[in-house]
């Protein structure tokens, strides 16, 4: 196990203009010689957009609906997080060593930092996007509980940083748009958290078609049942309670926090919402797809 010795809450570091968690910047550098395989499948998201949820769904699909097999290891071992390193937790590279083809991989990297091999090998990508307001609130709570991040400061200052793109992994606005554009040249299934919440069966069918698999109706129903927020929250192989508390403190905020759409209304003030909307309209001008911040 690679141990990266450092105190908690290190400052973000710049990589090609993208602010990165110090440990993950090291992990990204380690990926320089990463070799993708053509039958890999990459789950890509901006943080807090439903990565774990879709990863769990995909692992069940890859295990032909066998829920017992999905209890074999925590989600970060079943779906290696490429750029991940953190003290006391196996790195993404280590998790990869134990992963046989066909592999499921996870990343939050923007395209500027993505290992080129994933593009060269035309690795299929499932991208999950979530509305910016719920992401910002979820991210703030995640910063509070996951001590690989710098101290987020107040919610108000965090929201400003989110809008400026100075949080870990940079700009949400750029991330969701550049991966959308990638669809023109690369096999990308672009999904929305809100759609999955609204109609999981429809979205799981899209996933099955994209990965070229089919499963009986009753297996699809059991996937839906197993991956509800309530079920995943109590599943130690999905809820990140297996990581050391020095890394994630679930007493501050659970990783499986609320799992809803529209929770931002409990955190944004009216003034913050107005300012956010004006800034959003500017940043997303010309974007030809729509996010729903309530369903
Ligand atoms: P909240 O903080 O709003 O609750 P990621 O896996 O990309 O880090 O995203 C984490 C967010 O997805 C958290 O959002 C988490 O609760 C939510 N989530 C995880 N599993 C979910 C599920 N099965 N259904 C709905 N939301 C889920």
């Amino acid at each position: 196990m690679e141990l990266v010795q450092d105190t908690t809450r290190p400052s973000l570091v710049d990589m090609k203009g993208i602010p990165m968690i110090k440990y993950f910047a090291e992990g990204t550098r380690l990926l320089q010689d990463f070799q993708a395989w053509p039958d890999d499948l990459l789950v890509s998201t901006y943080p807090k957009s439903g990565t774990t949820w879709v990863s769990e769904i995909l692992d069940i699909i890859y295990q032909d609906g066998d829920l017992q097999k999905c209890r074999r290891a925590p989600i970060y071992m079943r779906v290696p997080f490429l750029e991940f390193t953190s003290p006391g937790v196996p790195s993404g590279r280590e998790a990869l060593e134990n992963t046989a083809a066909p592999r499921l991989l996870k990343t939050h990297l923007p395209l500027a930092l993505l290992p080129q091999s994933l593009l060269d090998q035309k690795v299929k990508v499932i991208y999950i996007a979530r509305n910016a307001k719920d992401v910002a609130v979820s991210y703030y709570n995640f910063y509070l509980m996951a001590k690989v991040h710098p101290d987020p400061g107040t919610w108000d200052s965090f929201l400003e940083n989110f809008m400026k793109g100075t949080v870990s992994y940079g700009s949400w606005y750029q991330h969701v748009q550049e991966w959308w554009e990638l669809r023109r040249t690369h096999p990308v299934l672009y999904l929305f958290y809100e759609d999955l919440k609204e109609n999981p069966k429809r979205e799981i069918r899209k996933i099955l078609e994209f990965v070229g698999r089919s499963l009986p109706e009753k297996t699809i129903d059991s996937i839906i049942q197993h991956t509800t927020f309530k079920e995943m929250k109590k599943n130690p192989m999905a809820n990140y309670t297996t990581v050391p508390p020095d890394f994630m403190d679930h007493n501050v905020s659970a990783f499986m926090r609320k799992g809803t759409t529209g929770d931002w209304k409990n955190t944004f003030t009216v003034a913050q919402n107005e300012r956010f909307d004006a800034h959003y309209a500017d940043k997303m001008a010309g974007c030809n797809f729509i996010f729903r911040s309530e369903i």
Side-chain angles (χ1 to χ4, degrees):
M1 181 178 293
E2 285 165 27
L3 278 183
V4 185
Q5 298 297 339
D6 206 339
T7 53
T8 56
R9 301 216 174 275
S11 302
L12 298 179
V13 301
D14 180 279
M15 282 191 99
K16 296 190 185 169
I18 314 291
M20 291 285 291
I21 290 171
K22 177 175 177 285
Y23 304 119
F24 297 4
E26 287 172 22
T28 304
R29 276 189 287 273
L30 290 173
L31 285 176
Q32 271 170 8
D33 61 347
F34 171 76
Q35 284 302 314
W37 300 339
D39 60 352
D40 286 341
L41 184 101
L42 182 66
V43 180
S44 169
T45 62
Y46 189 84
K48 312 322 289 173
S49 301
T51 333
T52 316
W53 188 9
V54 171
S55 298
E56 186 72 22
I57 290 171
L58 278 164
D59 186 44
I60 309 177
I61 291 173
Y62 272 42
Q63 301 303 326
D64 290 319
D66 187 334
L67 299 179
Q68 210 44 47
K69 285 193 185 155
C70 298
R71 297 202 176 88
R72 70 194 182 282
I75 192 68
Y76 48 85
M77 297 304 288
R78 290 180 281 140
V79 182
F81 180 6
L82 291 178
E83 66 270 22
F84 180 84
T85 67
S86 177
V89 188
S91 68
R93 292 298 290 238
E94 287 170 285
L96 271 176
E97 281 163 22
N98 300 313
T99 308
R103 305 183 295 188
L104 293 167
L105 312 171
K106 159 185 166 181
T107 191
H108 293 312
L109 290 171
L111 291 177
L113 298 177
L114 193 73
Q116 182 60 33
S117 174
L118 288 159
L119 298 173
D120 292 345
Q121 294 291 337
K122 289 277 176 215
V123 165
K124 282 187 184 176
V125 174
I126 298 188
Y127 187 87
I128 308 101
R130 186 183 191 188
N131 80 81
K133 292 178 186 175
D134 280 326
V135 168
V137 172
S138 180
Y139 212 0
Y140 178 65
N141 285 285
F142 190 53
Y143 254 68
L144 289 172
M145 69 87 78
K147 298 172 202 165
V148 289
H149 299 97
D151 190 320
T154 63
W155 157 244
D156 197 58
S157 68
F158 181 83
L159 186 60
E160 286 298 315
N161 287 331
F162 181 87
M163 289 159 66
K164 279 190 290 195
T166 53
V167 293
S168 166
Y169 288 105
S171 165
W172 175 91
Y173 311 90
Q174 183 172 335
H175 207 283
V176 296
Q177 292 187 74
E178 69 181 23
W179 282 89
W180 175 263
E181 289 304 317
L182 187 68
R183 290 157 57 257
R184 296 173 191 273
T185 53
H186 195 91
V188 179
L189 176 67
Y190 200 100
L191 301 176
F192 294 89
Y193 178 100
E194 295 76 22
D195 292 348
L196 193 56
K197 195 84 202 162
E198 182 179 66
N199 190 338
K201 186 169 276 187
R202 180 188 62 205
E203 301 306 302
I204 290 172
R205 286 211 178 102
K206 284 186 200 165
I207 293 174
L208 283 167
E209 191 185 338
F210 184 70
V211 301
R213 295 185 184 231
S214 65
L215 288 173
E217 194 69 15
K218 73 172 184 0
T219 309
I220 297 178
D221 288 338
S222 107
I223 295 176
I224 294 169
Q225 207 280 327
H226 178 82
T227 57
T228 59
F229 177 73
K230 204 168 148 217
E231 283 301 312
M232 284 186 59
K233 188 175 174 68
K234 66 183 185 205
N235 176 358
M237 293 300 131
N239 66 13
Y240 280 93
T241 53
T242 49
V243 301
D246 284 352
F247 170 31
M248 288 186 187
D249 187 345
H250 295 263
N251 292 322
V252 173
S253 175
F255 182 92
M256 295 290 170
R257 195 182 60 92
K258 291 207 176 161
T260 57
T261 293
D263 177 53
W264 59 271
K265 291 178 192 165
N266 298 314
T267 304
F268 277 66
T269 63
V270 172
Q272 284 167 346
N273 194 35
E274 284 172 0
R275 187 171 144 55
F276 192 91
D277 283 347
H279 176 261
Y280 186 95
D282 184 42
K283 296 294 279 188
M284 299 296 274
C287 170
N288 59 0
F289 58 105
I290 295 197
F291 283 90
R292 293 187 291 161
S293 51
E294 47 198 312
I295 49 177

